[in-house]
Amino acid sequence: LLAGSAAFWLLCGWQGAAYLMAETLLIWGCARLIGRFSERRGVCRALLVGGMVMVFGAMVLMKALSQLQALPDGLLVPIGLSYFPFQSVGYLIDVYRGKVAPEENYAKVLLFAGFFPQMTQGPITTWKQLMPQLDSPHRLSPNGFVSGVFLMAWGFFKKLVIADRLMPAVSVLVAAAQELPGWLVLATAAMYAIVLYADFSGGIDIIRGAAELLGIDLPENFRRPFFAASIADYWRRWHISLGSWFKEYLYFPLGGSRAGTLRTLRNLLLVWLATGLWHGASWNYVLWGLYFFVILAAEKTIGE
């Protein structure tokens, strides 16, 4: 699995492969040191914070330079930059919390962060979810193989037949939006939502199906989001693994909803600012995060 994943990284660019190896080496080293100095909480906290700042700082810097088109010639944004840092930092936090033991074998940490089906679109997994599967033998299962093929076929249908066919029509309608009647503008917005869902969820189905061929069960990332009963319910159904990561490693450590309304709103604000920056290092993404924070805060306070 590591050899196959390494081949995938190298085909996508040696710079990205070097970035991934350096980042996971840092995380692996910090986790080992946390295990060694487990009785000295100040040292462990410094290792945790230092590792997180370096990983996320490099990620934000790369995204910002890409957004500004200021990357040096020949340097590309590493594939999976929005995914493997979160996966590896989640492992580091779990080691700090004592939920998992520090892994001695660097190759296993590298495989966990860079398992090739997940590199392009996730889903983001935890060490306990994924590593036991990667670290155990699997026999070829005919039923699993057929199920994986069907899941991939369904993903290709959503991606190639629905999303890629609708997108050109949506682009034409968006370009002429000011000349269109209101009902057609609304229809265009609905079509664009369908394109986004079919493209993203189709890609995830392909990823999960490819992993299933290898006997690896990746978590569901979309659960009928357009049938949600509220905005909060929608975000519990859309990009589930990202929402779960922010809930587990940011919202709950800040206190979640246990410390009163004002602190709950503060925690919600920080989560949505981070979610906006995850999508891109620019002000429009920050405003996007603030937009959903306002809606969810209103929904939460009115509901209470």
Side-chain angles (χ1 to χ4, degrees), residues 147-171:
S147 175
V149 169
F150 270 99
L151 187 56
M152 291 179 70
W154 178 234
F156 279 119
F157 175 80
K158 287 197 286 187
K159 174 72 174 70
L160 301 177
V161 177
I162 298 177
D164 288 1
R165 294 295 181 273
L166 275 181
M167 193 61 207
V170 170
S171 299

Side-chain angles (χ1 to χ4, degrees), residues 19-20 22-28 30 47-63 81 83-90 92 113 245:
Y19 185 104
L20 173 64
E23 189 250 52
T24 49
L25 187 62
L26 170 69
I27 291 293
W28 173 76
C30 287
L47 288 165
L48 173 67
V49 173
M52 291 176 62
V53 168
M54 291 184 70
V55 169
F56 286 144
M59 182 187 76
V60 171
L61 178 62
M62 288 290 290
K63 286 193 171 190
L81 185 62
Y83 298 98
F84 66 78
F86 281 80
Q87 191 144 310
S88 55
V89 166
L92 183 63
W245 196 96

Side-chain angles (χ1 to χ4, degrees), residues 246-271 300 304:
F246 277 121
K247 185 183 294 183
E248 177 68 23
Y249 298 113
L250 183 58
Y251 186 68
F252 288 158
L254 289 171
S257 57
R258 300 187 304 273
T261 301
L262 288 179
R263 287 192 177 183
T264 297
L265 293 177
R266 180 207 64 181
N267 299 341
L268 198 62
L269 172 62
L270 293 174
V271 166
K300 189 173 185 66
E304 293 175 351

Side-chain angles (χ1 to χ4, degrees), residues 135-157:
D135 201 24
S136 59
H138 296 275
R139 293 182 179 274
L140 176 64
S141 167
N143 290 337
F145 188 86
V146 171
S147 175
V149 169
F150 270 99
L151 187 56
M152 291 179 70
W154 178 234
F156 279 119
F157 175 80

Side-chain angles (χ1 to χ4, degrees), residues 205-225:
D205 288 343
I206 296 167
I207 288 162
R208 294 183 67 226
E212 196 168 335
L213 298 181
L214 302 170
I216 308 297
D217 181 28
L218 295 179
E220 188 179 15
N221 218 22
F222 293 89
R223 191 178 298 123
R224 299 179 297 279

Side-chain angles (χ1 to χ4, degrees), residues 15-44:
Q15 301 98 327
Y19 185 104
L20 173 64
M21 293 180 69
E23 189 250 52
T24 49
L25 187 62
L26 170 69
I27 291 293
W28 173 76
C30 287
R32 291 292 307 277
L33 289 172
I34 287 174
R36 179 174 299 178
F37 297 104
S38 58
E39 301 299 321
R40 301 172 64 179
R41 300 307 292 172
V43 174
C44 292

